[in-house]
């Protein structure tokens, strides 16, 4: 059976892992671009799996919105089955009203909605209020990245030489919704009295202008280091080797899931992160640092307090962060393996295909 998967590109490890797992189920996975270039594949594909389809990325927002609306309706008219993966509460880096309209349309028209954290159910019902929608929701855990890397990279001797210094790492796309400015401001303030903490910001900036603005904000603070570039997979272990904890001060109003959280756990690192959906599923374990906020200023104050708490925990037990990271590694190794994810997709595809045959 042919399945269309969107997006279909090589720079997203989550996408690559899901596509590979579906291929191992002996399905033929086809890109939407191939269908556009060769329309015969539109009729050959029975199931369409859509990730981030709600994003409006062109300058002609209305035209892009209309094209996507027509495409969704065309899928329904042609009796295609749609799986919509609900990644974000709202589209990132976009103020377009059309993105929210597309999310509601997708939630309404799709046959199966995949969620990767349980808080998403509450958000779907609260924000979009679609009748009987819960019957279409299926939980599929976000896969870990343990199989993608060699996690035995840590040199115990080098770790022990870190003494009382604590290295915080931000890793991922350098985008405005991730509140990079906020973490810089907090470190600019806190490093005036705490000299034993450092921050590494690593990732590809949203734009050159945005990167320059962040550098100006950092100014001459030598406790903050930047690595503004696309980070290839081969360099990721080196960055995690330098870190004690990963800080991800996301916008709680748009973010629901975080691949960087699972990447961090896969490298045996705990995280400091707001209570987005991903984090809420792990809070009962007690091995992450999480918080809520209602405004930018409150976020800044709480983040500062959390960093001070982490420093105190580290002073009381130099192995505290390491132990938390190892426990999270063991948890996602058992509960978020690619094999579990593959089995979930197998069940969903078989469910849809059996319905299509009737």
């Amino acid at each position: 059976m042919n399945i269309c998967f969107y997006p279909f590109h090589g720079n997203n490890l989550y996408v690559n892992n899901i596509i590979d797992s579906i291929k191992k189920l002996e399905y033929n996975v086809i890109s939407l671009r191939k269908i556009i270039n060769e329309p015969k594949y539109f009729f050959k594909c029975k199931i369409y799996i859509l990730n981030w389809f709600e994003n409006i990325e062109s300058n002609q927002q209305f035209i892009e919105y209309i094209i996507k609306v027509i495409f969704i309706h065309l899928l329904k008219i042609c009796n295609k089955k749609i799986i919509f993966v609900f990644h974000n509460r709202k589209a990132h880096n976009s103020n377009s009203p059309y993105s929210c309209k597309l999310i509601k349309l997708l939630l309404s028209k799709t046959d199966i909605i995949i969620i990767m954290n349980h808080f998403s159910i509450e958000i779907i019902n609260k924000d979009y209020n679609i009748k009987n929608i819960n019957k279409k929701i299926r939980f599929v855990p976000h896969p870990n990245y343990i199989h993608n890397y060699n996690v035995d990279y840590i040199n115990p001797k080098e770790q022990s030489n870190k003494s009382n210094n604590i290295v915080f790492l931000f890793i991922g796309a350098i985008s405005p919704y991730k509140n990079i400015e906020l973490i810089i401001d907090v470190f600019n303030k806190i490093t005036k009295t705490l000299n034993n903490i450092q921050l590494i910001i690593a990732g590809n900036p949203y734009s050159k202008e945005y990167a320059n603005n962040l550098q100006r904000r950092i100014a001459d603070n030598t406790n903050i280091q930047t690595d503004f570039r696309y980070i290839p997979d081969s360099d990721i272990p080196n960055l995690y080797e330098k870190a004690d904890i990963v800080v991800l001060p996301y916008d709680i109003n748009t973010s629901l899931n975080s691949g960087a959280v699972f990447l961090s756990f896969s490298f045996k690192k705990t995280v400091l992160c707001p209570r987005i959906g991903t984090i809420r599923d792990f809070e009962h374990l007690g091995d992450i640092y999480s918080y809520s906020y209602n405004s930018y200023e409150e976020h800044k104050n709480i983040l500062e307090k959390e960093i001070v708490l982490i420093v105190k925990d580290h002073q009381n037990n130099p192995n505290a962060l390491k132990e938390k990271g190892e426990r999270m590694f063991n948890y996602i190794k058992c509960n978020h393996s690619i094999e579990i994810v593959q089995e979930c997709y197998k069940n969903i595809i078989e469910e849809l295909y059996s319905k299509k045959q009737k």
Side-chain angles (χ1 to χ4, degrees), residues 51-58 61 64-65 68 84-104 106-107 123 127-128 175-178 206 251-257:
N51 299 262
W52 303 291
F53 196 73
E54 70 275 15
N55 289 0
I56 302 291
E57 298 174 343
S58 70
Q61 294 185 4
E64 183 179 351
Y65 167 70
K68 288 187 173 183
F84 174 48
V85 186
F86 188 63
H87 285 275
N88 301 313
R89 188 170 185 171
K90 296 178 182 178
H92 297 316
N93 298 332
S94 174
N95 294 319
S96 173
Y98 300 119
S99 291
C100 287
K101 290 178 181 291
L102 276 174
I103 291 177
K104 187 164 187 176
L106 284 162
L107 292 172
I123 294 301
D127 290 3
Y128 297 99
S175 301
Y177 78 92
K178 294 185 177 181
Y206 178 69
D251 183 347
I252 208 167
N253 296 311
T254 64
S255 299
L256 271 176
N257 298 281

Side-chain angles (χ1 to χ4, degrees), residues 140-323:
V140 177
H142 191 298
N144 64 50
Y145 298 104
I146 295 170
H147 64 289
N148 296 113
Y149 299 95
N150 175 20
V151 298
D152 296 325
Y153 67 94
I154 296 177
N155 183 329
K157 183 178 180 180
E158 186 170 334
Q159 288 286 310
S160 64
N161 284 341
K162 285 186 175 180
S163 63
N164 290 323
N165 290 334
I166 305 176
V167 178
F168 291 76
L169 170 67
F170 174 91
I171 188 167
I174 309 297
S175 301
Y177 78 92
K178 294 185 177 181
N179 287 321
I180 313 299
E181 297 93 337
L182 184 144
I183 188 65
I184 290 173
D185 289 349
V186 169
F187 263 78
N188 279 342
K189 178 182 177 182
I190 208 169
T191 51
K192 292 178 181 177
T193 55
L194 289 174
N195 292 320
N196 64 326
I197 62 171
Q198 294 180 313
L199 172 65
I200 300 173
I201 304 172
N204 198 25
Y206 178 69
S207 67
K208 186 174 181 180
E209 180 183 3
Y210 185 57
N212 291 337
N213 288 339
L214 294 179
Q215 290 286 8
R216 283 193 291 270
R217 209 177 193 105
I218 294 168
D220 59 352
N221 189 341
T222 57
N223 292 75
I224 303 177
Q225 302 173 24
T226 60
D227 190 355
F228 286 163
R229 63 188 172 101
Y230 170 74
I231 309 295
D233 287 344
S234 58
D235 288 356
I236 287 176
N238 294 330
L239 285 167
Y240 273 99
E241 186 172 1
K242 297 176 182 177
D244 295 291
I245 186 170
V246 177
V247 54
L248 302 166
Y250 294 148
D251 183 347
I252 208 167
N253 296 311
T254 64
S255 299
L256 271 176
N257 298 281
S258 170
V261 167
F262 287 94
L263 183 63
S264 301
F265 294 159
S266 298
F267 279 101
K268 302 182 180 180
K269 304 296 180 182
T270 189
V271 300
L272 167 60
C273 184
R275 298 180 69 238
I276 62 172
T278 295
I279 296 299
R280 287 170 180 259
D281 275 2
F282 295 128
E283 282 184 313
H284 66 285
L285 300 172
D287 287 315
I288 56 178
Y289 294 88
S290 63
Y291 59 93
S292 297
Y293 63 89
N294 295 310
S295 67
Y296 186 87
E297 283 303 316
E298 185 181 14
H299 192 176
K300 187 187 295 185
N301 292 334
I302 292 175
L303 187 61
E304 180 181 342
K305 291 177 182 177
E306 289 293 322
I307 291 173
V308 171
L309 173 62
I310 290 167
V311 171
K312 288 181 179 178
D313 286 350
H314 182 73
Q315 288 172 343
N316 293 333
N317 177 9
N319 291 316
L321 298 179
K322 182 173 179 289
E323 291 167 356

